[in-house]
Amino acid sequence: MSGIKAAITGVGGYLPSYVLNNDELSRMVDTSDEWIMQRIGIKERRILKDKSKATSYMGTKAVKELLEKTGTDPLDIQLLVCATITSDMHFPATANIICEKAGLANAFSFDLNAACSGFVFGLETCRRFIESGAYKKVILVGADKMSAIVDYEDRTTCPLFGDGAAAVLLEPATGQEGIIDSILAVDGSGAKYLYMYAGGSLHPPTHETVDAKQHYIFQEGQPVFKMAVSKMADVSVEIMERNHLSHKDIRYLVPHQANMRIIEATARRMNLNKEQVMINIGRYGNTTAATIPLCLWDYEKQLKKGDNLILSSFGAGFTWGSIYVKWAYDPK
Ligand code: UT7
């Protein structure tokens, strides 16, 4: 161990302006505001309507805001990681395109695919570059244009997702603050419950795959729900226990925003009250890799140096994990 910690030193975000609310959705498929609010807890989500724009557009906006807010020279960034499952194209990496658009001429970059756990897996990855001592400024972006892979004729998935992006800057920490601990896990046997069937090397695109709507998200909701409820809570409780944190020590749980019932179940297991949980699912839905950094972006002004945060996620793969962060700065 080098003794160097990695700290989040800034947050930037971007949400497209178009609001798709439950009333509009109810005119598209057989659903209702009541069902969506009761079963999921989403009132509206943002959609990137402009067909000429994609994930890199939102990621670049978030990165530019982050650079401006933190007064960072884009040429000082050494690495950018983009967590996404909706890359602009299969290749090159969306991270490469963001670097070009945001003027990060000295950074190397790559994409990371861990679905809804993308930000948490990415944070663990970026953290290690900083802790090595070789990297001083690293950006992690979580960005997804979910509307590109959602079937708006499928009522079981179309209410769930939205588009958005957010980015954090990571730098070496000088004090006690920074990323303290993490627990990450995967179980590939869960792949059959949440996936996009076609478009990859197993089922390349054909007229048949398009006609069969196999380029959209497929989800068997209940098994995913059951695993999410148990795994997200398990790792969140485990990380508290092994760091000797009681519920009173936690300022915020920062959970992946897939379903309000999953968030509440996790908070209950951690013995937290409502005020200790970051929630924005009602306004943005599930933006996949962007949910956790968008929470940090929304709540940034409420965070103080030394606050204990538990970031927690569950997603396709299955992937899940929890990260203990001691927040590194006061509101600016
Ligand atoms: O972020 C990645 C990880 N993903 C998740 O964490 C999502 C986990 N899963 C879930 O959040 C939930 O399973 C869903 C929100 C996707 C579905 O909720 P559910 O309570 O598990 O509903 P269900 O799939 O068991 O469906 C219950 C009923 C069904 O009708 P019948 O068979 O009981 O007559 C569905 O056809 O609700 C029906 N239904 C709907 N009704 C109105 C499904 N979608 C809708 C809808 N509007 N949009």
Side-chain angles (χ1 to χ4, degrees):
M1 288 293 284
S2 65
I4 301 169
K5 277 207 201 73
I8 294 172
T9 54
V11 193
Y14 174 78
L15 288 158
S17 57
Y18 189 84
V19 176
L20 173 59
N21 63 26
N22 290 347
D23 291 337
E24 187 178 350
L25 263 183
S26 307
R27 293 193 291 275
M28 295 157 69
V29 289
D30 181 14
T31 190
S32 64
D33 177 59
E34 193 192 358
W35 191 93
I36 298 170
M37 285 307 289
Q38 267 177 14
R39 307 306 294 167
I40 318 172
I42 300 173
K43 198 83 192 159
E44 56 191 40
R45 58 297 282 146
R46 301 299 184 92
I47 304 293
L48 185 60
K49 279 278 185 185
D50 185 341
K51 287 200 164 43
S52 71
K53 294 186 166 70
T55 296
S56 71
Y57 172 81
M58 297 188 293
T60 303
K61 287 270 193 190
V63 168
K64 282 188 173 171
E65 196 206 58
L66 172 68
L67 294 170
E68 202 184 303
K69 269 172 77 178
T70 55
T72 304
D73 184 341
L75 299 179
D76 288 342
I77 304 298
Q78 297 159 292
L79 165 65
L80 179 140
V81 175
C82 179
T84 186
I85 54 162
T86 52
S87 48
D88 287 17
M89 295 168 275
H90 271 309
F91 68 90
T94 294
N96 307 160
I97 299 167
I98 294 174
C99 282
E100 200 272 325
K101 286 184 177 167
L104 274 54
N106 295 323
F108 89 100
S109 66
F110 57 89
D111 285 358
L112 185 150
N113 177 338
C116 295
S117 300
F119 186 80
V120 164
F121 281 32
L123 197 57
E124 173 69 0
T125 306
C126 292
R127 161 197 183 189
R128 300 301 179 183
F129 280 89
I130 297 281
E131 288 176 352
S132 75
Y135 291 79
K136 310 282 183 225
K137 285 186 194 292
V138 172
I139 288 179
L140 171 61
V141 188
D144 271 301
K145 185 184 170 184
M146 297 306 291
S147 62
I149 57 167
V150 164
D151 176 2
Y152 286 97
E153 292 179 352
D154 174 10
R155 71 172 183 170
T156 70
T157 52
C158 74
L160 297 166
F161 298 98
D163 301 337
V168 297
L169 179 64
L170 290 150
E171 294 180 276
T174 49
Q176 294 304 304
E177 292 76 26
I179 297 163
I180 313 284
D181 195 12
S182 68
I183 304 171
L184 307 181
V186 304
D187 176 1
S189 73
K192 57 183 173 292
Y193 300 117
L194 180 50
Y195 59 84
M196 193 166 90
Y197 183 82
S201 57
L202 184 59
H203 305 289
T206 61
H207 289 292
E208 288 73 27
T209 62
V210 172
D211 289 345
K213 295 188 151 207
Q214 288 167 340
H215 295 268
Y216 292 124
I217 296 167
F218 168 86
Q219 175 170 246
E220 209 176 308
Q222 284 196 5
V224 180
F225 183 91
K226 275 185 198 148
M227 280 292 276
V229 164
S230 72
K231 294 299 182 189
M232 233 168 92
D234 284 352
V235 282
S236 304
V237 169
E238 190 184 338
I239 210 162
M240 282 171 72
E241 282 172 0
R242 81 180 191 192
N243 288 281
H244 313 291
L245 296 167
S246 91
H247 61 100
K248 291 184 198 141
D249 300 316
I250 306 296
R251 179 67 191 96
Y252 279 113
L253 164 68
V254 192
H256 173 52
Q257 311 278 310
N259 189 315
M260 197 58 206
R261 291 182 289 144
I262 299 173
I263 296 171
E264 283 167 358
T266 306
R268 254 195 315 275
R269 280 271 307 277
M270 295 167 76
N271 206 7
L272 303 180
N273 61 44
K274 263 192 185 156
E275 288 66 44
Q276 290 171 289
V277 188
M278 290 192 189
I279 295 166
N280 58 19
I281 184 173
R283 287 178 291 138
Y284 311 146
N286 181 352
T287 54
T288 303
T291 59
I292 289 177
L294 279 173
C295 278
L296 296 174
W297 188 56
D298 270 356
Y299 283 75
E300 190 186 17
K301 286 200 168 62
Q302 273 120 276
L303 291 170
K304 294 197 182 63
K305 189 173 175 175
D307 281 350
N308 290 320
L309 311 183
I310 304 290
L311 281 46
S312 210
S313 67
F314 184 88
F318 295 131
T319 55
W320 66 97
S322 204
I323 299 199
Y324 169 28
V325 174
K326 209 176 242 307
W327 195 248
Y329 58 95
D330 289 321
K332 284 163 189 155

